[in-house]
Amino acid sequence: MLDLGTSSFAGSVPEIEDRMSDPSSWSAGARYSSQQLFDVIATVASDSLTEIFGPDLQPHGGRTFVVAEQRGIRSLGCFWAEKQRIEVDSMSKKITFVCSYQPFTLRLPITDIGLYAADHVSVDEAAVAAANEKIKACQRVLVSVGLSRAYRKSNDQPAYHWLQVNNVHSLLSAMYG
């Protein structure tokens, strides 16, 4: 745990978690084991994306969710995903988390650094394979989800905060050590 000392709000809706603080005021707090961290995260997790991000979260194309720019109640949360797997697009080499969220099959980009090579760009194929082996045995998987910074796919479309998977927690603590 890290105590940030005095901090001030530095975000805009929905990025209510963004804080500004002076690094010289930071101090180390309690140390958590992987299991303790998982247990804490599990206590705040939800199986409802709307519960996490609020009523402004809207389906987009049947494969993801978005929140319009300057809308929403938060940009980070923890989600219990079901019927999950990790895929790597052979052309783009992008990693995607696929899960069921009725009536959709979501395909969300993954930013979890543990699935990438040391350059933080190349896919670590062995890590992806190991993660898939571990999660395929799970009925559900705990993931950290977030909304991206507002992004406009083209000038004729509105800017949205796009749903993504930031970390895959369930059964993966051995991978990330």
Side-chain angles (χ1 to χ4, degrees), residues 63-95:
R63 302 176 103 184
T64 191
F65 280 82
V66 296
V67 171
E69 187 173 27
Q70 299 295 308
R71 301 296 302 251
I73 61 171
R74 71 180 58 86
S75 65
L76 298 171
C78 297
F79 174 65
W80 286 108
E82 295 183 351
K83 298 181 182 169
Q84 64 284 326
R85 67 183 180 278
I86 298 172
E87 294 181 350
V88 178
D89 182 279
S90 60
M91 297 295 287
S92 68
K93 293 298 184 189
K94 303 251 185 223
I95 305 174

Side-chain angles (χ1 to χ4, degrees), residues 134-155:
K134 290 181 180 192
I135 67 174
K136 93 172 149 181
C138 299
Q139 186 172 5
R140 61 188 194 156
V141 170
L142 180 58
V143 295
S144 290
V145 286
L147 297 174
S148 70
R149 299 292 184 194
Y151 171 74
R152 182 183 319 268
K153 284 196 170 190
S154 68
N155 288 337

